[in-house]
Amino acid sequence: MKKKMKLIAAGAFAAIALFAALPVAFMQKNEHSTGGANSMQDELLAVEAAILRQGARGSEVKEVQRRLKQWGYYNGSVDGVFGTGTRSAVILFQRKNGLTADGVVGKATYKALGMNDAYNALQNSVPSQSGVGGFSESDVYLLARTIYAEGRGEPYTGQVAIGAVVMNRVRSPQFPNTISGVVYQKHAFTAVSDGQINLTPNETAMQAARDAIGGWDPSGGALYYYNPAVATSSWIFSRETITVIGRHVFAI
């Protein structure tokens, strides 16, 4: 009997010790869970902060406004304040580019705008060589062919500027919204008309294409360029000049 009582007492003490330890273990687990939840919450807040919608303010809004104004979607002040005018311009841009027209600048709209840093912040990845700026390698190659056919022999900055004109047209409501659409638009580029578009681009043209798709725009937002020594259209001479690089005049 005494032995049985001792066994019962030992079992009771073990149970008490087990239940005493449970809250500590639960609290430790709960602390880790809370930490994970806080980390996830912080990440969600960071993503939410990167998304722009009406009422937002700051340099990212200002850059969105600058690009939309440059491409003809926005006619308000570039003041970094996301108001109704900016929202309307974003919606127009989204419709033109086949995006959800909600007036919110998220990952897809950043990508279409060419704002790669903001896009990558939401994507949480680094762009690969096979998808520069969200465009396919075939897009890069076609742009490189265009640059090579139109601008080989020009300084490197001038070659990037030619690529930038193509990209500016892609984002402008006045032109097709794909690189191939812009390049093969009727009478848009002499190199397409005379067949030089089919020449194989060199590595310089390939890199210039990547730089242009990546957002470098030495043309200053130009939608046109021409060589005044050979241009015959009186209309092209009427365009407002932005800059001159090598033998090309870049204009809007």
Side-chain angles (χ1 to χ4, degrees):
M1 184 73 180
K2 288 182 180 180
K3 185 177 180 181
K4 187 175 181 181
M5 290 296 294
K6 285 181 181 179
L7 286 171
I8 292 172
F13 280 119
I16 292 170
L18 175 62
F19 280 106
L22 279 175
V24 175
F26 176 77
M27 287 174 65
Q28 287 175 340
K29 181 178 180 181
N30 194 46
E31 283 176 4
H32 287 301
S33 299
T34 303
N38 288 340
S39 177
M40 184 177 294
Q41 186 176 18
D42 289 344
E43 289 177 9
L44 289 173
L45 288 173
V47 167
E48 182 64 22
I51 295 172
L52 302 179
R53 51 174 51 87
Q54 190 167 336
R57 294 170 176 263
S59 59
E60 288 293 297
V61 175
K62 197 169 185 178
E63 180 60 18
V64 169
Q65 291 172 327
R66 185 189 71 77
R67 293 184 185 224
L68 292 176
K69 188 163 189 171
Q70 177 176 293
W71 299 329
Y73 295 94
Y74 178 64
N75 58 10
S77 300
V78 180
D79 55 9
V81 179
F82 200 129
T84 55
T86 302
R87 183 175 182 275
S88 296
V90 169
I91 289 173
L92 285 174
F93 178 80
Q94 289 170 329
R95 284 176 181 162
K96 166 68 168 53
N97 287 274
L99 306 172
T100 301
D102 56 6
V104 176
V105 181
K107 185 169 67 174
T109 303
Y110 275 131
K111 178 180 175 181
L113 284 165
M115 295 177 65
N116 298 328
D117 289 342
Y119 170 78
N120 290 331
L122 291 178
Q123 182 75 357
N124 193 27
S125 65
V126 178
S128 67
Q129 289 297 310
S130 61
V132 181
F135 289 85
S136 69
E137 192 61 32
S138 62
D139 286 325
V140 177
Y141 189 68
L142 177 57
L143 185 59
R145 282 165 50 195
T146 306
I147 291 169
Y148 184 74
E150 292 273 323
R152 62 186 182 280
E154 291 295 301
Y156 184 71
T157 302
Q159 293 187 45
V160 176
I162 289 172
V165 167
V166 174
M167 300 309 299
N168 290 340
R169 289 189 182 189
V170 169
R171 299 181 185 113
S172 169
Q174 303 173 49
F175 298 91
N177 61 5
T178 63
I179 290 176
S180 59
V182 167
V183 170
Y184 290 111
Q185 189 175 26
K186 192 173 181 180
H187 303 312
F189 294 94
T190 304
V192 174
S193 302
D194 65 17
Q196 292 190 65
I197 190 68
N198 297 312
L199 295 174
T200 301
N202 59 16
E203 182 54 39
T204 299
M206 290 295 296
Q207 187 56 51
R210 294 188 188 102
D211 282 339
I213 289 176
W216 183 17
D217 184 3
S219 80
L223 292 173
Y224 308 96
Y225 64 88
Y226 62 94
N227 183 340
V230 298
T232 57
S233 168
S234 58
W235 178 86
I236 195 66
F237 285 99
S238 71
R239 309 310 300 175
E240 180 185 342
T241 297
I242 297 177
T243 188
V244 177
I245 306 173
R247 292 173 292 182
H248 286 128
V249 174
F250 292 85
I252 54 174

